[in-house]
Amino acid sequence: MFHLFEKLKNKEVYFIAEMSANHGGSLENALEIVRQAAKAGADCLKIQTYTADSLTIDCDNEYFKIQGTLWDGYKLYDLYQDAGTPYEWQGRIKEECERCGIDFLSTPFDNDAVDFLENLGCEAYKIASFELVDIPLIEYAASKGKPMIISCGMGSEDEIQDAIDACKRVGNDQIVLLKCCSEYPANWKDMHLSNIQDMMERYHVPVGLSDHSEGHLADVVGASLGACVIEKHVKLEGVKSADSEFSMTIAEYAEMVNAVKAVGTIIGEKKYGPTEGEQALLKFRRSLFAVRDIKKGEAFTSENVRSIRPSQGLKPKYFQRIQGHAALTDIPYGTPVSMEQVKSVDAIKTERLILREIREEDAQEIVALRNHPDIFRYFTNPKTLTLEEHLHWFHDIYPYDPDRYDWVAIDANGKRIGLFNLRVSKDGCAEIGYLIAPEYYGKGFASEAVQAMIAYAKKARGCKTAIAEIHEENQKSLHFIQKLGFQLEKAEGVYQIYKRSL
């Protein structure tokens, strides 16, 4: 069983150790590379299946001579004769992979090589970067129904798409692309590893990295960008070959595997809040403490309450909310401040109503009132309010807004008749809002409550003006607000803004 997709399913990086020419002409070296690569953490040992004749022709003219690379001066045919892995070794190498518990993989370079590997029981195929444009070869290999790992060095967007299309034409969608820079060794500035994420989004297949650069920094970066496969050339110490100059030693490969695995551990999963190790440290967070003795009835101020360590008091975000409120008990110096010690917004009494600050127990009725058809139609937001959304606002937003006040209006029978709110703007304007249950329309309750709220805004917060925002189709509210002395200031879309001096 080829373990690539099993690893990907478990969100683990799949490590390929590329032997290439690093056997140095010795089968025993090849088998030792298998054994050591397995111990170093490789999931797979990869070889290449070709002959010099399957790759090129034995020709001496300038087209077939290598210039300006690691293999400068070589003739193509001679390089491939020196670097190839003999076909008669490959079955033995595969057996050694199986004995060591790692996958065997090879890169075929012609159809005969594919057939040979099929007879060998090869469970996947690797396409080299230089063969990315050999669509007939890709199509033939893919027709065997095995996973296809395709290196994309030098490839344009269209060339990569052509290779993917070739696989899919023969019914094979088991495709993994490898970002690759086909320089030996690869220069960091030419690697463009940001392509890894772009390739995942563009081609909708897993993407890994075939890395020819020195060291393992590129592999760590690639893994952090989502590379699911890392392929590196490996060599034995002291064995020279056509590929040894840019290959890793086995010890270096083991370091690379550990570093890449650490990337996955460090990135982890999306998680907010304290870790298990941080739990014991929460007590050293800041919170609100009395920094002077506070007497019952004394107002909380910045002089007697501060945000300091440790964390047994109210969270610092409540600081503005409690400013100016009276202490319900004596609070000695060095005592954490709790909400139970803080007097809430004063209740407002009118002739027929009591306006008290909203509580969690009001939530169901507030949501029902907000979603009432006769009220809901005057909101531009087409979504109904859910209980969960209201409770989130009540617990996580409202407590931290020192300029927002919400009251439930209760009549003499203890019935909640409506919701009234006041927001004090930075320029000291009282922004008025209210919702009255339809059965209480026309009974003067809204007028009574709004006037009491305006008086509170003037006295407690020093507001000089008040505004109300009314939907243009809400004729009852428009008429009512005008009776209270509000005058049309301006229109904004379907809303009309009314204002009055206090």
Side-chain angles (χ1 to χ4, degrees), residues 16 24 43 67 80 120 128 141 143 180 224 232 252 304 425 467:
I16 299 175
D43 296 298
Q67 295 179 350
Y80 300 141
L120 211 61
S143 71
C180 181
S224 72
K232 290 284 281 190
E252 290 169 336
N304 59 24
S425 65
I467 64 170

Side-chain angles (χ1 to χ4, degrees), residues 300 326-332 335-343:
F300 293 102
L328 293 176
T329 62
D330 289 343
I331 307 175
T335 302
V337 176
S338 67
M339 197 57 83
E340 288 74 26
Q341 298 164 329
V342 181
K343 186 178 179 182

Side-chain angles (χ1 to χ4, degrees), residues 101-353:
I102 61 175
D103 293 334
F104 170 83
L105 178 66
S106 186
T107 302
F109 288 84
D110 68 346
N111 290 1
D112 288 342
V114 174
D115 292 339
F116 171 81
L117 290 168
E118 278 291 294
N119 289 331
L120 211 61
C122 192
E123 295 181 286
Y125 292 106
K126 166 75 188 298
I127 300 298
S129 291
F130 291 84
E131 276 59 49
L132 177 68
V133 294
D134 191 343
I135 298 304
L137 171 63
I138 294 172
E139 197 167 285
Y140 187 72
S143 71
K144 305 305 177 182
K146 311 288 178 60
M148 297 289 292
I149 303 170
I150 304 174
S151 274
C152 300
M154 304 171 288
S156 68
E157 295 99 317
D158 288 343
E159 288 168 343
I160 296 170
Q161 187 63 61
D162 286 345
I164 292 171
D165 292 343
C167 295
K168 291 187 174 181
R169 266 196 304 276
V170 292
N172 191 335
D173 59 1
Q174 301 176 80
I175 303 165
V176 175
L177 301 178
L178 300 185
K179 174 69 184 79
C180 181
C181 173
S182 298
E183 299 173 17
Y184 300 88
N187 192 313
W188 284 350
K189 70 179 177 62
D190 294 334
M191 295 189 71
H192 303 295
L193 295 192
S194 60
N195 277 22
I196 290 171
Q197 292 179 327
D198 184 71
M199 288 165 68
M200 287 189 284
E201 295 168 4
R202 186 185 299 270
Y203 301 113
H204 307 291
V205 297
V207 177
L209 172 64
S210 178
D211 177 27
H212 303 140
S213 69
E214 296 177 345
H216 62 246
L217 179 60
D219 309 298
V220 168
V221 173
S224 72
L225 292 171
C228 59
V229 174
I230 299 292
E231 179 187 71
K232 290 284 281 190
H233 284 70
V234 293
K235 65 181 180 181
L236 298 174
E237 291 273 13
V239 177
K240 297 293 184 182
S241 76
D243 296 330
S244 59
E245 191 169 328
F246 65 89
S247 300
M248 279 184 159
T249 66
I250 296 295
E252 290 169 336
Y253 189 87
E255 289 179 6
M256 181 274 292
V257 169
N258 289 335
V260 169
K261 286 182 176 179
V263 170
T265 302
I266 293 167
I267 291 176
E269 298 179 352
K270 291 177 183 176
K271 182 183 183 301
Y272 293 92
T275 64
E276 184 178 345
E278 291 172 326
Q279 287 288 347
L281 300 174
L282 288 174
K283 62 185 176 184
F284 298 119
R285 279 181 156 185
R286 299 173 82 99
S287 68
L288 300 185
F289 268 76
V291 293
R292 283 187 353 200
D293 288 340
I294 302 173
K295 298 296 183 184
K296 179 179 178 179
E298 184 181 347
F300 293 102
T301 68
S302 57
E303 282 73 40
N304 59 24
V305 174
R306 280 178 51 203
S307 168
I308 60 173
R309 295 182 182 184
S311 66
Q312 281 78 10
L314 282 171
K315 290 182 179 180
K317 61 187 178 181
Y318 287 99
F319 186 75
Q320 291 297 327
R321 187 72 182 177
I322 71 171
Q323 291 292 292
H325 292 284
L328 293 176
T329 62
D330 289 343
I331 307 175
Y333 168 82
T335 302
V337 176
S338 67
M339 197 57 83
E340 288 74 26
Q341 298 164 329
V342 181
K343 186 178 179 182
S344 62
V345 177
D346 292 334
I348 302 175
K349 294 183 180 180
T350 70
E351 184 178 343
R352 297 179 295 166
L353 298 173

Side-chain angles (χ1 to χ4, degrees), residues 3 38 42-43 95-103:
H3 296 91
D43 296 298
E95 288 174 3
E96 192 67 15
C97 287
E98 292 167 354
R99 192 186 70 79
C100 293
I102 61 175
D103 293 334

